[in-house]
Amino acid sequence: MHSSKKVAFYTLGCKLNFSETSTIARSFEGEGFQRVDFSEKADIYVINTCSVTENADKRFKTIVKQAQKANPKAFVAAVGCYAQLKPHELADVDGVDLVLGATEKFKITDYLNDLSKNDFGEVHSCEIEDADFYVGSYSIGDRTRAFLKVQDGCDYKCTYCTIPLARGISRSDTLENVLQNAADISAQGIKEIVLTGVNIGDYGKGEFGNKKHEHTFLELVKALDEVEGIERLRISSIEPNLLKNETIDFVAKSRTFVPHFHIPLQSGSNEILKLMRRRYMRELYVERVAKIREVMPHACIGVDVIVGFPGETDERFLETYHFLNELDISYLHVFTYSERDNTPAAEMEGVVPMKVRNKRSKMLRGLSVKKRRAFYESQLGTTRTVLFEGENKEGYIHGFTENYVKVKAPWNPELVNTLKEITLTKIDEDGLVRFEELSIATVD
């Protein structure tokens, strides 16, 4: 019925959004649509929105304008987290025809029977309580790695966060589904799978649409380790209180899991952690890092941290700064706190001025550069395996070692999507690492 219709997608936000966009795109292809690049002329533009960063809200309007410029008659749909939280605001944006919340985004093709331009944005946004079914998805971003979604939603109530409002309760894919998806991905010649979810360490909860647990995160990891054909598995981001010692021990000896952890900290001050309603104190975080270092000295450890949370005085910020400076970690993802409607933190006192938030963010980003550099230096002279990516970046090919050191070599198309054993030799002026190849043989 849509023989010649073209659809284009734009994704804001996290890896989970990217994997869901892929699933939505596949449903369009199943209906006979042709997928084109967002910059091209399409009949339908789908924008998958994010509610986590202030910037994502502002960018939304720009992206709608971009779509309208490419085709003024096109149909523009907004889906995803921001669409769930503020559907009417998005519907008011000039040019938006359809806004779909958390449950409807996967049924978008059902809403598109009439592609004539609407005079105003139509809203279908469920009550978030209805978002209790689970839609599994995976995305193939490039042919090197795929993001596999195993869990959605969150039962935690961090005071700054809208994700429980935008994505609903914690629920998981069934183990057999995850394993099937993993096998499908590796059958396509993809070498690395990144496990994603909203609160991935909570995996197993809600496998039956209730709180009953059939499987745990550790069981998921053990089962995935046995799927044939997968070369590498990476855990995207996991709460420190849910990253158990057994999991760390298992990753250390596993066949496919790589020594790379990304563990949100958010603050190095216990007072702020309490105000954020995080489920641990900084002492637990220190234990986690120590445990990883004990069994995987060469592991890469990334940290999420929020600056400028209400009540973050200069002293408390410096507590975070010194805590991170002394911790044996490899890089930081720094978020500048921004107020979100309907969150307890937005009502808290001790608001930090924007200028101070930005200055703190800069300080921590500077610290991250130092940490990454020191981590890369510590890896020089070691032998690692690198997975090369598919893009020619100004005459170079890039890749990541299993412990997430980013390397570069002169462009060579034969290296694309191969695993090679290398010795890391020096850090280039752009901060990436150069290496010498040990053998021409590809690692099997």
Side-chain angles (χ1 to χ4, degrees), residues 74-355:
F75 187 95
V76 177
V79 302
C81 290
Y82 200 55
Q84 175 66 33
L85 289 180
K86 304 248 176 118
H88 298 284
E89 271 182 37
L90 291 188
D92 287 345
V93 173
D94 194 30
V96 174
D97 298 295
L98 179 66
V99 178
L100 297 179
T103 54
E104 306 88 355
K105 62 187 170 193
F106 295 108
K107 301 189 291 231
I108 179 167
T109 51
D110 302 348
Y111 292 101
L112 296 177
N113 295 334
D114 174 21
L115 286 176
S116 59
K117 196 74 180 144
N118 287 346
D119 296 332
F120 56 89
E122 232 185 287
V123 175
H124 299 267
S125 171
C126 62
E127 288 305 310
I128 195 64
E129 288 72 53
D130 301 341
D132 56 3
F133 66 93
Y134 180 86
V135 176
S137 25
Y138 59 86
S139 82
I140 295 171
D142 49 38
R143 37 199 196 117
T144 316
R145 71 166 60 89
F147 298 104
L148 170 58
K149 170 179 158 186
V150 299
Q151 181 275 344
D152 198 349
C154 188
D155 294 338
Y156 286 11
K157 299 278 185 280
C158 301
T159 53
Y160 50 81
C161 187
T162 54
I163 283 173
L165 301 170
R167 282 185 171 272
I169 59 169
S170 177
R171 53 209 188 273
S172 306
D173 204 348
T174 62
L175 191 57
E176 58 185 332
N177 253 359
V178 173
L179 296 175
Q180 184 57 57
N181 282 339
D184 291 350
I185 292 167
S186 67
Q188 297 180 47
I190 288 165
K191 302 274 197 287
E192 180 177 309
I193 294 179
V194 184
L195 300 184
T196 68
V198 171
N199 186 356
I200 185 176
D202 211 17
Y203 175 81
K205 189 188 276 185
E207 229 182 308
F208 305 97
N210 55 22
K211 293 296 167 214
K212 203 170 117 201
H213 264 274
E214 169 130 310
H215 297 104
T216 61
F217 182 69
L218 180 61
E219 288 170 338
L220 170 76
V221 166
K222 285 182 169 167
L224 279 165
D225 197 46
E226 295 184 357
V227 174
E228 275 188 30
I230 301 176
E231 304 272 351
R232 267 188 190 183
L233 283 155
R234 204 178 287 278
I235 298 168
S236 63
S237 174
I238 184 164
E239 293 284 306
N241 49 309
L242 295 172
L243 176 57
K244 301 285 195 269
N245 286 345
E246 302 90 66
T247 305
I248 296 171
D249 280 331
F250 181 78
V251 168
K253 353 180 261 292
S254 110
R255 180 180 72 86
T256 50
F257 278 89
V258 295
H260 174 204
F261 294 90
H262 192 92
I263 315 168
L265 167 71
Q266 311 311 15
S267 173
S269 151
N270 281 342
E271 281 72 30
I272 297 289
L273 287 173
K274 283 177 194 149
L275 288 171
M276 289 177 164
R277 283 200 213 138
R278 299 292 287 157
R279 302 208 171 181
Y280 53 86
M281 291 287 112
R282 56 186 263 168
E283 290 73 16
L284 174 98
Y285 201 92
V286 173
E287 278 172 34
R288 286 296 175 264
V289 171
K291 171 69 186 174
I292 292 169
R293 286 278 166 248
E294 176 204 328
V295 294
M296 287 170 271
H298 61 296
C300 179
I301 303 175
V303 182
D304 285 338
V305 59
I306 294 173
V307 295
F309 189 82
E312 187 182 59
T313 56
D314 283 344
E315 295 74 36
R316 284 172 177 173
F317 169 70
L318 286 172
E319 225 186 309
T320 297
Y321 187 92
H322 294 308
F323 179 72
L324 288 165
N325 193 29
E326 280 150 38
L327 210 52
D328 189 359
I329 52 154
S330 319
Y331 64 91
L332 306 170
H333 279 174
V334 184
F335 298 89
T336 305
Y337 171 73
S338 63
E339 282 78 2
R340 287 274 163 271
D341 292 347
N342 303 321
T343 58
E347 316 291 314
M348 289 180 181
E349 6 205 273
V351 173
V352 177
M354 218 49 207
K355 232 168 63 188

